[in-house]
Short mmCIF file of all heavy atoms in Angstrom, two decimals:
data_model
loop_
_atom_site.label_atom_id
_atom_site.label_comp_id
_atom_site.label_asym_id
_atom_site.label_seq_id
_atom_site.Cartn_x
_atom_site.Cartn_y
_atom_site.Cartn_z
N GLY A 35 96.96 105.13 97.45
CA GLY A 35 97.64 106.12 98.30
C GLY A 35 98.77 106.80 97.57
O GLY A 35 99.08 107.97 97.82
N ALA A 36 99.40 106.08 96.65
CA ALA A 36 100.51 106.67 95.91
C ALA A 36 100.00 107.66 94.86
O ALA A 36 100.63 108.66 94.56
CB ALA A 36 101.34 105.59 95.24
N VAL A 37 98.83 107.35 94.30
CA VAL A 37 98.27 108.23 93.28
C VAL A 37 97.69 109.47 93.96
O VAL A 37 96.92 109.37 94.90
CB VAL A 37 97.17 107.52 92.46
CG1 VAL A 37 96.48 108.50 91.53
CG2 VAL A 37 97.77 106.38 91.67
N GLY A 38 98.09 110.62 93.47
CA GLY A 38 97.60 111.85 94.08
C GLY A 38 97.99 113.03 93.24
O GLY A 38 98.18 112.91 92.02
N LEU A 39 98.13 114.16 93.90
CA LEU A 39 98.54 115.37 93.19
C LEU A 39 99.90 115.17 92.55
O LEU A 39 100.24 115.85 91.59
CB LEU A 39 98.57 116.54 94.16
CG LEU A 39 97.22 116.93 94.76
CD1 LEU A 39 97.40 118.02 95.81
CD2 LEU A 39 96.27 117.41 93.68
N GLY A 40 100.69 114.25 93.10
CA GLY A 40 102.01 113.98 92.54
C GLY A 40 101.91 113.57 91.08
O GLY A 40 102.74 113.96 90.26
N ASN A 41 100.88 112.80 90.76
CA ASN A 41 100.73 112.33 89.38
C ASN A 41 100.11 113.40 88.48
O ASN A 41 100.52 113.57 87.35
CB ASN A 41 99.81 111.11 89.33
CG ASN A 41 100.26 110.02 90.27
OD1 ASN A 41 100.27 110.21 91.49
ND2 ASN A 41 100.67 108.91 89.73
N ILE A 114 105.96 118.81 103.52
CA ILE A 114 105.29 118.55 102.24
C ILE A 114 103.78 118.72 102.41
O ILE A 114 103.11 119.37 101.61
CB ILE A 114 105.64 117.14 101.71
CG1 ILE A 114 107.10 117.09 101.26
CG2 ILE A 114 104.71 116.74 100.55
CD1 ILE A 114 107.60 115.71 100.84
N TYR A 118 100.94 120.80 100.40
CA TYR A 118 100.06 119.86 99.67
C TYR A 118 98.59 120.19 99.92
O TYR A 118 97.76 120.14 99.02
CB TYR A 118 100.38 118.43 100.14
CG TYR A 118 99.95 117.32 99.20
CD1 TYR A 118 100.86 116.67 98.39
CD2 TYR A 118 98.63 116.89 99.16
CE1 TYR A 118 100.49 115.63 97.55
CE2 TYR A 118 98.24 115.86 98.32
CZ TYR A 118 99.17 115.23 97.52
OH TYR A 118 98.79 114.21 96.69
N PHE A 234 110.31 109.87 93.77
CA PHE A 234 110.08 109.60 95.20
C PHE A 234 108.75 110.19 95.65
O PHE A 234 108.01 109.58 96.40
CB PHE A 234 111.23 110.16 96.05
CG PHE A 234 112.37 109.20 96.19
CD1 PHE A 234 113.22 108.95 95.13
CD2 PHE A 234 112.57 108.49 97.36
CE1 PHE A 234 114.26 108.04 95.25
CE2 PHE A 234 113.60 107.58 97.49
CZ PHE A 234 114.46 107.36 96.43
N PHE A 235 108.48 111.40 95.20
CA PHE A 235 107.22 112.07 95.59
C PHE A 235 106.03 111.25 95.14
O PHE A 235 105.12 110.95 95.90
CB PHE A 235 107.18 113.46 94.97
CG PHE A 235 106.07 114.32 95.49
CD1 PHE A 235 106.30 115.28 96.48
CD2 PHE A 235 104.77 114.21 95.00
CE1 PHE A 235 105.28 116.08 96.96
CE2 PHE A 235 103.74 115.00 95.48
CZ PHE A 235 104.00 115.94 96.46
N SER A 236 106.06 110.85 93.88
CA SER A 236 104.90 110.18 93.31
C SER A 236 104.72 108.78 93.89
O SER A 236 103.59 108.32 94.09
CB SER A 236 105.05 110.10 91.79
OG SER A 236 103.84 109.72 91.20
N LEU A 237 105.83 108.11 94.19
CA LEU A 237 105.72 106.75 94.74
C LEU A 237 105.59 106.77 96.27
O LEU A 237 105.58 105.73 96.90
CB LEU A 237 106.94 105.92 94.32
CG LEU A 237 107.11 105.69 92.81
CD1 LEU A 237 108.45 105.02 92.51
CD2 LEU A 237 105.96 104.85 92.27
N SER A 238 105.50 107.95 96.85
CA SER A 238 105.38 108.10 98.32
C SER A 238 106.57 107.52 99.05
O SER A 238 106.43 106.88 100.09
CB SER A 238 104.11 107.43 98.87
OG SER A 238 102.98 107.92 98.23
N LEU A 239 107.78 107.72 98.52
CA LEU A 239 108.96 107.12 99.12
C LEU A 239 109.80 108.13 99.87
O LEU A 239 109.67 109.33 99.67
CB LEU A 239 109.84 106.50 98.03
CG LEU A 239 109.24 105.35 97.25
CD1 LEU A 239 110.20 104.93 96.14
CD2 LEU A 239 108.94 104.17 98.17
N GLY A 240 110.66 107.62 100.73
CA GLY A 240 111.70 108.45 101.31
C GLY A 240 111.41 108.98 102.69
O GLY A 240 112.28 109.53 103.35
N LEU A 241 110.16 108.83 103.15
CA LEU A 241 109.91 109.30 104.51
C LEU A 241 109.22 108.25 105.37
O LEU A 241 108.72 108.54 106.45
CB LEU A 241 109.18 110.64 104.53
CG LEU A 241 107.93 110.85 103.70
CD1 LEU A 241 106.72 110.28 104.41
CD2 LEU A 241 107.74 112.34 103.46
N ALA A 243 106.52 106.53 104.80
CA ALA A 243 105.07 106.38 104.70
C ALA A 243 104.71 104.94 104.32
O ALA A 243 103.72 104.39 104.80
CB ALA A 243 104.50 107.35 103.67
N ASP A 268 101.37 103.54 89.30
CA ASP A 268 101.60 104.96 89.58
C ASP A 268 102.28 105.66 88.40
O ASP A 268 101.89 106.77 88.02
CB ASP A 268 102.45 105.10 90.85
CG ASP A 268 102.51 106.54 91.32
OD1 ASP A 268 101.47 107.02 91.82
OD2 ASP A 268 103.55 107.18 91.15
N ALA A 337 91.67 111.82 95.48
CA ALA A 337 93.03 111.30 95.32
C ALA A 337 94.00 112.06 96.23
O ALA A 337 94.90 111.48 96.83
CB ALA A 337 93.48 111.41 93.86
N THR A 340 93.57 110.90 100.00
CA THR A 340 94.26 109.67 100.41
C THR A 340 95.74 109.94 100.64
O THR A 340 96.38 109.27 101.45
CB THR A 340 94.11 108.55 99.35
OG1 THR A 340 94.61 109.03 98.11
CG2 THR A 340 92.66 108.14 99.18
N SER A 341 96.27 110.93 99.93
CA SER A 341 97.69 111.26 100.11
C SER A 341 97.92 112.09 101.37
O SER A 341 98.89 111.86 102.10
CB SER A 341 98.22 112.01 98.90
OG SER A 341 98.20 111.18 97.77
N THR A 342 97.02 113.05 101.65
CA THR A 342 97.21 113.85 102.86
C THR A 342 97.10 112.95 104.09
O THR A 342 97.79 113.16 105.08
CB THR A 342 96.19 115.01 102.97
OG1 THR A 342 94.86 114.48 102.86
CG2 THR A 342 96.41 116.04 101.90
N SER A 344 98.07 109.79 104.31
CA SER A 344 99.31 109.04 104.53
C SER A 344 100.44 109.98 104.99
O SER A 344 101.31 109.59 105.75
CB SER A 344 99.70 108.22 103.30
OG SER A 344 100.61 108.89 102.48
N LEU A 345 100.40 111.23 104.56
CA LEU A 345 101.43 112.18 105.00
C LEU A 345 101.26 112.54 106.48
O LEU A 345 102.23 112.61 107.23
CB LEU A 345 101.38 113.45 104.14
CG LEU A 345 101.97 113.31 102.73
CD1 LEU A 345 101.55 114.47 101.84
CD2 LEU A 345 103.50 113.24 102.79
N VAL A 348 102.30 109.74 109.18
CA VAL A 348 103.71 109.56 109.53
C VAL A 348 104.05 110.33 110.81
O VAL A 348 104.64 109.76 111.74
CB VAL A 348 104.63 110.02 108.37
CG1 VAL A 348 106.08 109.97 108.78
CG2 VAL A 348 104.40 109.15 107.14
N LEU A 398 113.36 113.96 100.05
CA LEU A 398 112.93 112.58 99.86
C LEU A 398 114.07 111.67 99.40
O LEU A 398 114.25 110.58 99.94
CB LEU A 398 111.73 112.51 98.90
CG LEU A 398 110.45 113.19 99.40
CD1 LEU A 398 109.36 113.13 98.34
CD2 LEU A 398 109.97 112.57 100.70
N1 LIG B 17 102.48 110.12 96.41
C1 LIG B 17 101.50 111.11 96.73
C2 LIG B 17 101.13 111.84 95.46
O1 LIG B 17 101.54 111.45 94.41
C3 LIG B 17 101.99 112.08 97.78
C4 LIG B 17 102.41 111.38 99.00
C5 LIG B 17 101.61 110.70 99.85
C6 LIG B 17 103.73 111.24 99.47
N2 LIG B 17 102.37 110.15 100.84
C7 LIG B 17 103.65 110.45 100.63
C8 LIG B 17 104.95 111.70 99.01
C9 LIG B 17 104.80 110.11 101.31
C10 LIG B 17 106.09 111.35 99.70
C11 LIG B 17 106.03 110.54 100.83
O2 LIG B 17 100.44 112.81 95.49
#
Side-chain angles (χ1 to χ4, degrees):
V37 173
L39 296 174
N41 306 64
I114 289 174
Y118 200 102
F234 273 74
F235 190 99
S236 193
L237 297 173
S238 304
L239 296 175
L241 49 81
D268 190 72
T340 57
S341 295
T342 54
S344 95
L345 284 165
V348 174
L398 296 177

